Every structure is written in structure tokens, then in C-alpha cells.
Amino acid sequence: MPSEAGVPRRTVLTALGAASLAGTLAAATPAGAAALTGTAPSAAAADLPAAAAHWTFDEGSGTSAADSSGNGRTATLQGAAGWDTGKVGAHSLSLTAGGNAAASGPALDTSKGFSVGAWVNLAQLGGYQTAVSIDGKVVSAFYLGLRDDTGTFAFARLDSDATQSAAVAAAASAPTTGTWTHLVGVSDPAAGVIRLYVNGVLEGETAYTAGWAGSGDTAIGRALYGGGHVDQWHGLVDDVWMFPSVLTSDQVAALAGVPVETTTPLLSVDVGTPAHAVSPILPGLMFEDINHSGEGGIYAELVQNRSMMASDTTPVHWSAVGGTTLALDTATPLNAALNRSLKVALPSSVGAGDRAGVANDGFWGIPVRPGTAYTARLFAKASRRIGPLTVAIESADGATVYASAHVSHIGTAFPDRPFELTLRTGSSTPVVGDARLTVTTADPAAAGETLWLQHVSLFPPTYNNRPNGLRIDLMDKLVALKPKFLRFPGGNFLEGNTIATRFNWKNTIGPVWERPGHMDDAWGYWSTDGLGLLEYLEWVEDMHAQPVLAVFAGYSLKGEHVTGDALKPFIQDALDEIEYVTGPVTSTWGARRAADGHPEPFPLEYVEIGNEDWFDSSGSYNERFAAFYDAIKAKYPHLKLIASTSVTSRTPDLIDEHYYLAPSAAQASTHKYDNRDRNSTKVFVGEWAAQEGRPTPDLNAALGDAAWLAGLIRNSDQVLMECYAPLFSHVKNNVWATNLIAYDNLTSYVSPSYWAQHMLTSRLGNTVLPATARALPGLATVATRSGNRLYLAVVNSGTEKLSVPVELKGLAKGVKRQATATVLTGPSRTTTNTLTEPDTLVPRTSTVTGAAKSFTSTVPPLSVTVLELVLT
Ligand code: AHR
């Protein structure tokens, strides 16, 4: 018997405290390398425990398959079931449409520990195909076979005998047709897991504690779901074993007929033969105005509803000071865009020290800091010349003035340009989040008069001191990610609920007081469009990134869409937009850009046509994409055009795929692109996130994100670009649950997912190295190299410390003993960062020793680790 009989061989050591992070590498065990090439004698059947059933399918004729375990579970062939050449012995069971073999009753008790093994050979890929199962009443008690959702072999169980989602131990390797593969599923209630072994190697393991007894027949070549026979197996099945016990990994190796040494855990990295280049434009950012990401977010404007356009009936966010009466006045517009103003009826009490005017409450308060210069801009006029007009940042109750400035006089007409004032706080001004902005007068001449205000704006210092600019703390966090691109302006924000509320870029350029703004009805608030096309482009410029410009493509969220001639103006809008971005100052729209303050054209390579057009149930995207494609390519043949869903009318340069996943699904999807047809259209994963945590992801989601991103990097010959979404949430307006970065009006923090992405994209080489993880279920990895630096990322989503034997193949010389380990980990899956505790989860970098051609890396539970090794 194997020395560890009854105990699966595992890489799991003991639970790890945070203090154990030091010394991540342990010296290599010489046996680790030797195990790669060694051969072991095949295990004898005597090594296996007593079986509950065993069908050899060696009969080769007739409709019965005997049970050689001696338990009398003869299986009867039904439908299109027959015989073919065997993998073990002379014959196997051959199944096509509707064919299966079934033995009466359950061959074993699935509420207890059990194992089931079979040789399988697929005639076709795709769909759910179950090789072995035991019926319940509604669903099978287990499924061993191929799954459609993972696209891999898997062992799956449901929590009860009812239609519901399954716990899935999925393979890490891709299935192929016409080859024999050995599968073993193990249900281990004592360990609380189910496992899948492929060709003797542990490839999948997932938590499962339910355990219930299937009371129906034992089936080979089909399953039960929703009370019906499903999951037809197409191909061959041979040598099916059922054991009423939990097989050890050595016993599984014996059953598969492979040397034990070839099934031990190993992470093998081929240093000498890079797989392909890391896409040079892989990591980017996606932005749309959601959760007050723009208004009240990165767009630094502090006044909410500065343009009085947010409501047609009420001057929302404005309140009376000193007994004034407020109203929206459409008879007194500022201009055609801001076609109304705030009318302030001043009381007769004004004067003699009594002030009157208005206050704005900002985005959940106006933030105040000491030693800071704020810029106010406003249009004001009155029914007679009055002055001074005081603009102040003051406490919510008006008792404390933090900063103020004055317009000496205002006349009876709006000026051509806004009054501009600087308000400075003193060095001892407190940090306050709930201040207000007031505009008042105490001029006795104003008593009983009327004041009109429009475009009342207040900016703090901005990133790169841009006058209509962005919040510094948020920009710092983005710049630290070194994004290669910014995808903007959406997302649903691009589309609008209706065509009228789309991002109409022509309304977002020019002086901000000439922009009408629009309802961001996808996310429920007013957009001044102060963050307009030019501001997006300057944002990109400030990050040293490139734009991925999403153009409106004639479809809005609620289904409104246009085709044919009606689409032409939108195509022209897109062409004009591209000209505004890239055209010389001699072009119409290039000249507009220059007039707006940016004569230099912006670089542009990628344009996305629409957003998530799979929602267009009318099926018009094929036609719409072709129309945009033809027009844009005719004028700008060098531009790469991204389709927002699959199209057949034209071949897009890239296709945008979006994935919002549960953390466990994100972890499991690390292999999603591994087996992609390398000749198919390249992918832009333009939105993705493991969703858990509000307003930002918790550690569990970050682990899912890291595993998913590792897969994208590994496959960055296919996935050329990726960006997480959404990027931002204001903590007071968290309409979309899980976002990368959150903030209030004063401070901001980053999530563990931010750190995971930062780790994987900042410690990244320029070529991907082939890396194979064997018998390391749940571990996601990616290895890259630049020159003499090798970066090995390992994501351990499990709750136990893992000891990972690493082998570096193809080394020209060696590797320095000293390496750097950067680790992100935390005590539980739900641990997270918050506004008040922003640094609970941050990566820690330390020097470790013990790196060698073969070494063992010990990774903490629930962790992302990036090792930086120096090749000699
Ligand atoms: O990222 C949030 C939303 O999710 C985007 O606006 C949309 O494209 C997707 O459905």
C-alpha cells in the first residue's frame, strides 16, 4: 500500500500567519527535478481499495456489460450504444445519439466519500457530455464528464436533488477529440471538497459539503437534470470504476497507469523558449460617468448643478441665504446652451450688515483644506448695478468662513466671460468635508432687487493645473497603474437610455458655460459635460496613454436604434469626432480643437463602434458596424476598429468582450483563452471584474481578478488589451456595486483588486514564458521575462498555505539566489480596504533567498505573489 494510504497527497501545509511572509522561497528538494524524468512501476490493482462496481466493457457484443467487482451491477446497453476497440482490454463502450448503459440502482452511496474513474474518448467537443453519473430524482448525484460552461472535463455535484448551480472541480487542461483521457472524480466529505484528476494528475478541487445520496440508476453516457435524461456522451467510455472510498492521489495514479512521480505538484517554467510577446498595450483603464465617477468624482468641479440645468422645475442643490426666494428663470438665459438662470429675489432687509444670496451644497458637501487656492467662476447680473458680491466657502451653518473673495460690482447684463476669483484658505483652516459655497451681497442698494446667477463654479487645484481639470488624488492613483490606454466615454453612458441622452460629443466641447449638459439617465444624474471630449483627451495625455475612443453607433440602451439613411448623421458625427481628435489645424474639426486650446492633434489608433451591441435584439449591429467600418476605414485606413459584439458583415480588428463574474468563476476562468483558435479575431476585454464587495472588491474578488488577469497576460497574443470596470465609485452614490477605486469629496482609497492589478502589470516582462502547473488545483500563474528579469506571479485562492515546487527549464546559466517577493494577502476572503481604513490590504515587498533552478515557493493562503528572479 502507498505510505500515505487514505490521505490524499497534497501540497497543503499549515495555516499561515502574516508574519510568515518572509522567506517565501525554500531550498529546492533534489527529488523535485528528478521526479520529472523518473519512471515508476505501474501500481498493481491490489493497491486499490475494494470497488463498488467495475465495468471493463470487454464483452464486445450483446447488450450487457458485466460488473467485475462481484457486486452484480450488470449494466444494460440502451439506444445507440455499441462496442469499439478498448483502451483497457479488447473493447470499450461506444455511444452516439441517445445511447447509454445503465445499471439498476445506485452503485454506491454518494452521501459518503466515494471515487469514480473512467477512460473517456470524445468524438466531438462542446455541450455537456456526461460519462458517468448516478441518478437522483431530479438531477444526478454527481457528473463526471465534459462541461459546457468551463469547456473542460469536470467533476460536479449539486447541493441537493433539485435543479440549481453546481460545485465544479474543473480541469486545467483542454479536452481534445479522438484521444483517451483518464478521469477520476473524488467526493471527500471529510475534507469538504470534490476533486478531479486528469490522467492521474489533480487538476481541479473545489469546496463541497452538501453530500446527498442518489437513489436512482447508475448511468454511463448520460445524466439527469430537471428530471430528464440529458448530457449525451458522444464517443467511447472504458474501464469504469466506482469505489465507496476516497482514493489517494497515489491510488488515482495507479488507476490511470501513470508513474506517481509524474503526478506530483510542479510549476514548470520554460525560460529558454518564450511563448510570445506580452501585448505592449495590454493594461488600460475604462471610464464612464457612473456612481458619480465624473461629476463629483474625477472631474474636479465642486459645485453641483452649477449650470442650473439638472432639473427643469427646481434649482436643486441651491438654497436661500438671508431670506431670498429662488427660482429657475427661463426668461433670463445665459446663452442658447444654458437657457435659464437662477433668479434670486433679494429681501428688503439686505444691507446694514445683513447679507442675502444663495448657497450650494456641492457633491455631499464642499471639501475644504488648509493653504489651498480655489478658483471660482460665475456669471452674475442684477436688476440694478450692485456690489460687492461675495463668494465664500463657509461652514454648513454659515458661522465660519474658510475663504472668500469679492466681485466689486455686477451690472444689469451678464458679462461675456465669467467673473473669476481666487479663494484662499489659511494655513490653519481645518480639513472639512461638509462646507458650502455661498454667493451673497450685503449692499443696501440690493434691497428688494433681483440677482441672476449662471455657471457658478468652484475648482480646487487640479492635476497638472488644468483650469477645467481633474482631481489630483484620483489621477495619482491612475497614473501609478501606468495604463497604456483609456477607453471612454462608456459603457452605457455612451449609449444613453435613448438616442437623445447619448454622449453627444459636439455638445461637450468649447467653453464649459456653452455646453448644455445632458441627463446621464443610464446612471441617474445630471452631467454638465464639463468633462467633455477635450478633457478626456487631455486626461489621456496627462497619463501618457492613448485613447480608445468609443463612438456612438446608433443604438441606445432602451432599444432605440437607427439604420440606413437615418444612421448617416451618426456616422458623420463619428468622422467629425475622429477629425477633432486627430485632424490638422487646417481641417474643420482640427481647427475647432485648436480654438479650444489644443492645436496639436492627439494620437489615435483604436476606435470602438458602440457598446455591448449584443443587447440590440433587432440584430441591426451587423449593418450598423459595416456602415461605420466602411466610412471610417475609407478616410482613416490606419485606424483599428473594435466591434462591441460579434459581427459577420465585416472583420473587425478586435472584438470587445465583457466579463462580470463571481470570484470563483473568475478564478476558474484563468484558462478561458488558453485553447483559443490563435487565428481568430483578437480580443479587447473592455470590461471585466470579479464582483464581490461594495463599493470596492474584497480580497476574494481580488484573487479572482488576479487569476483572471494572469490568464489574460498569458494569452496576450490573443487578448491585446484589457481594462477593469467600473473604475470609480463615490461612496455616497454606489449604484454599481463593485468598483476599483472609491472616494468621498475629501479622500480616496484603492481596493485589493487595484493592488493585484498593479502587482501583475508593474512586475511584468515583455515576453510570456510557457508555464505548466501540475497537480496545483486552484493555483493561477503567469511567467514573463524581460532581459535577465523573470517575473513569476502565483495566485493562491485557497485558504491554506501552499508549497509550490518550481522548476526553471532552459536556463542559459543560472538564477541569483536572492529574489524579490511581493505579496498581497489578508486574513479572510471578505477583508477589504475602506475610506477610513484604506491600507488594510496592501502588497508588501521583501527580499527572499533560495532561488535556484529548482526551488519551492511557499505562498500564503488567499494571496497574490509576484516573484522577481534575476537570471545570471
Ligand atoms: O461597467 C458598467 C456597465 O456594464 C457598462 O456601462 C456597460 O457597458 C456594462 O454593461
Side-chain angles (χ1 to χ4, degrees):
M1 292 287 284
S3 57
E4 51 182 352
V7 183
R9 181 187 343 101
R10 307 189 55 170
T11 53
V12 173
L13 302 180
T14 52
L16 176 74
S20 307
L21 289 182
T24 298
L25 308 186
T29 51
L36 291 171
T37 50
T39 47
S42 296
D47 286 337
L48 299 172
H54 178 206
W55 296 278
T56 64
F57 296 113
D58 283 334
E59 287 80 359
S61 64
T63 55
S64 289
D67 170 12
S68 70
S69 74
N71 292 321
R73 299 252 174 224
T74 303
T76 304
L77 278 61
Q78 305 171 5
W83 307 95
D84 207 322
T85 307
K87 168 66 180 167
V88 179
H91 298 287
S92 63
L93 180 65
S94 172
L95 302 171
T96 51
N100 60 70
S104 181
L108 46 74
D109 182 353
T110 55
S111 69
K112 302 192 171 134
F114 70 92
S115 308
V116 52
W119 281 100
V120 300
N121 191 326
L122 283 165
Q124 66 185 56
L125 295 175
Y128 289 87
Q129 301 185 43
T130 297
V132 191
S133 64
I134 289 180
D135 293 345
K137 290 189 171 56
V138 179
V139 297
S140 296
F142 69 84
Y143 302 79
L144 180 68
L146 184 72
R147 280 185 73 87
D148 192 48
D149 53 358
T150 61
T152 60
F153 291 122
F155 182 59
R157 298 203 65 185
L158 277 62
D159 280 355
S160 65
D161 194 359
T163 307
Q164 63 198 283
S165 60
V168 179
S173 52
T176 51
T177 55
T179 48
W180 282 104
T181 304
H182 192 256
L183 302 181
V184 173
V186 174
S187 192
D188 186 347
V193 296
I194 54 174
R195 301 188 187 95
L196 175 78
Y197 292 83
V198 180
N199 292 328
V201 175
L202 180 62
E203 289 205 0
E205 182 174 274
T206 197
Y208 180 77
T209 48
W212 55 278
S215 55
D217 291 346
T218 303
I220 296 150
R222 66 147 182 88
L224 188 72
Y225 196 76
H229 288 179
V230 295
D231 298 4
Q232 171 68 50
W233 183 268
H234 298 271
L236 312 178
V237 180
D238 199 4
D239 207 41
V240 175
W241 289 84
M242 291 197 164
F243 300 96
S245 57
V246 172
L247 291 189
T248 66
S249 53
D250 287 2
Q251 289 169 329
V252 172
L255 201 58
V258 295
V260 165
E261 289 85 345
T262 64
T263 68
T264 52
L266 182 68
L267 177 54
S268 178
V269 181
D270 189 345
V271 184
T273 324
H276 55 79
V278 173
S279 170
I281 48 161
L282 183 69
L285 300 172
M286 188 274 177
F287 178 86
E288 68 173 320
D289 207 334
I290 179 174
N291 306 310
H292 277 283
S293 296
E295 301 280 333
I298 195 165
Y299 181 52
E301 172 64 75
L302 297 178
V303 173
Q304 187 160 190
N305 191 22
R306 72 180 178 198
S307 64
M308 323 298 167
M309 301 292 282
S311 160
D312 287 339
T313 53
T314 322
V316 288
H317 297 286
W318 292 98
S319 58
V321 174
T324 53
T325 306
L326 310 187
L328 292 175
D329 185 0
T330 50
T332 312
L334 177 66
N335 51 41
L338 303 189
N339 58 7
R340 65 186 69 156
S341 56
L342 178 59
K343 182 177 179 183
V344 186
L346 298 162
S348 53
S349 57
V350 176
D354 284 343
R355 65 174 185 161
V358 294
N360 184 277
D361 59 3
F363 293 92
W364 297 278
I366 300 271
V368 183
R369 290 184 184 284
T372 304
Y374 297 82
T375 305
R377 295 183 190 89
L378 74 162
F379 289 89
K381 69 173 189 174
S383 46
R384 62 178 288 190
R385 184 179 151 88
I386 59 168
L389 197 64
T390 301
V391 179
I393 303 171
E394 58 187 48
S395 58
D397 61 4
T400 311
V401 174
Y402 302 115
S404 67
H406 309 283
V407 179
S408 56
H409 282 96
I410 57 169
T412 54
F414 283 130
D416 290 340
R417 293 185 57 80
F419 298 109
E420 186 167 314
L421 308 169
T422 302
L423 284 68
R424 288 181 203 281
T425 53
S427 57
S428 54
T429 299
V431 175
V432 170
D434 65 348
R436 64 180 189 169
L437 181 79
T438 56
V439 181
T440 58
T441 182
D443 178 5
E449 299 290 339
T450 303
L451 171 70
W452 287 272
L453 299 170
Q454 185 39 289
H455 185 75
V456 182
S457 163
L458 183 71
F459 271 80
T462 59
Y463 193 82
N464 276 354
N465 293 318
R466 294 207 186 260
N468 185 40
L470 306 179
R471 216 172 119 162
I472 295 169
D473 60 333
L474 297 179
M475 276 299 280
D476 282 342
K477 289 175 170 66
L478 300 186
V479 169
L481 284 173
K482 297 198 173 76
K484 305 290 189 202
F485 64 87
L486 178 72
R487 173 182 175 229
F488 66 86
N492 296 159
F493 182 74
L494 170 73
E495 301 163 86
N497 274 347
T498 63
I499 292 176
T501 54
R502 73 191 183 281
F503 179 79
N504 184 354
W505 75 270
K506 284 178 179 165
N507 285 345
T508 75
I509 57 172
V512 284
W513 53 88
E514 290 177 12
R515 302 181 194 180
H518 76 285
M519 189 63 194
D520 177 0
D521 49 6
W523 305 115
Y525 52 90
W526 185 259
S527 170
T528 60
D529 291 329
L531 181 56
L533 179 57
L534 183 63
E535 288 74 24
Y536 281 116
L537 293 165
E538 290 178 338
W539 170 0
V540 172
E541 191 171 68
D542 285 352
M543 293 196 301
H544 307 292
Q546 62 171 297
V548 172
L549 181 68
V551 298
F552 180 74
Y555 172 80
S556 285
L557 268 179
K558 290 210 164 149
E560 204 184 338
H561 63 278
V562 284
T563 53
D565 282 351
L567 192 60
K568 286 183 177 158
F570 297 101
I571 296 171
Q572 190 56 50
D573 266 357
L575 292 172
D576 294 346
E577 188 171 7
I578 295 167
E579 187 172 289
Y580 184 90
V581 177
T582 65
V585 293
T586 48
S587 65
T588 308
W589 288 101
R592 273 297 295 276
R593 185 194 63 243
D596 291 344
H598 202 289
E600 272 303 299
F602 292 93
L604 179 70
E605 207 181 336
Y606 294 94
V607 174
E608 179 158 6
I609 314 297
N611 177 62
E612 294 191 343
D613 282 273
W614 63 77
F615 280 114
D616 178 6
S617 53
S618 78
S620 72
Y621 190 60
N622 247 336
E623 177 196 329
R624 291 186 287 111
F625 182 81
F628 276 85
Y629 182 99
D630 292 350
I632 296 173
K633 286 276 185 184
K635 192 164 178 200
Y636 302 101
H638 65 283
L639 286 182
K640 298 196 175 79
L641 302 185
I642 304 169
S644 78
T645 187
S646 45
V647 273
T648 51
S649 56
R650 296 291 180 275
T651 304
D653 295 294
L654 287 110
I655 183 153
D656 183 0
E657 298 182 359
H658 295 176
Y659 296 95
Y660 292 104
L661 303 167
S664 58
Q667 288 157 22
S669 301
T670 187
H671 296 291
K672 175 168 178 65
Y673 292 103
D674 287 2
N675 306 304
R676 190 166 193 267
D677 172 1
R678 271 21 217 175
N679 294 318
S680 45
T681 306
K682 304 293 184 208
V683 177
F684 168 37
V685 182
E687 294 180 28
W688 63 267
Q691 295 180 299
E692 189 174 283
R694 183 163 214 148
T696 49
D698 60 16
L699 179 58
N700 198 33
L703 295 170
D705 289 331
W708 168 259
L709 181 55
L712 300 187
I713 296 169
R714 270 200 326 275
N715 291 286
S716 65
D717 60 328
Q718 299 300 303
V719 179
L720 302 188
M721 308 162 85
E722 60 79 17
C723 46
Y724 181 101
L727 186 58
F728 288 134
S729 180
H730 196 297
V731 294
K732 297 272 176 56
N733 183 242
N734 177 229
V735 291
W736 185 280
T738 309
N739 310 274
L740 197 62
I741 297 169
Y743 47 83
D744 64 7
N745 57 5
L746 274 172
T747 60
S748 54
Y749 72 97
V750 303
S751 62
S753 288
Y754 172 100
W755 284 124
Q757 291 177 48
H758 187 273
M759 287 170 66
L760 265 66
T761 58
S762 64
R763 292 164 181 84
L764 183 66
N766 53 24
T767 53
V768 172
L769 302 178
T772 321
R774 185 181 72 194
L776 293 163
L779 212 72
T781 63
V782 59
T784 59
R785 175 183 180 175
S786 275
N788 71 340
R789 300 285 148 159
L790 191 160
Y791 302 91
L792 180 59
V794 177
V795 184
N796 176 14
S797 302
T799 50
E800 291 172 285
K801 179 168 92 173
L802 286 185
S803 185
V804 182
V806 179
E807 140 190 273
L808 304 178
K809 292 195 300 188
L811 279 175
K813 285 171 88 181
V815 58
K816 276 196 178 161
R817 221 179 123 60
Q818 202 164 72
T820 306
T822 304
V823 181
L824 175 72
T825 188
S828 77
R829 292 189 188 279
T830 53
T831 309
T832 195
N833 293 339
T834 63
L835 206 52
T836 48
E837 295 191 31
D839 296 326
T840 304
L841 295 173
V842 292
R844 313 260 175 224
T845 299
S846 60
T847 300
V848 291
T849 55
K853 204 170 165 189
S854 295
F855 61 92
T856 298
S857 175
T858 305
V859 292
L862 304 176
S863 68
V864 183
T865 300
V866 183
L867 293 176
E868 183 177 342
L869 304 164
V870 184
L871 306 177
T872 56

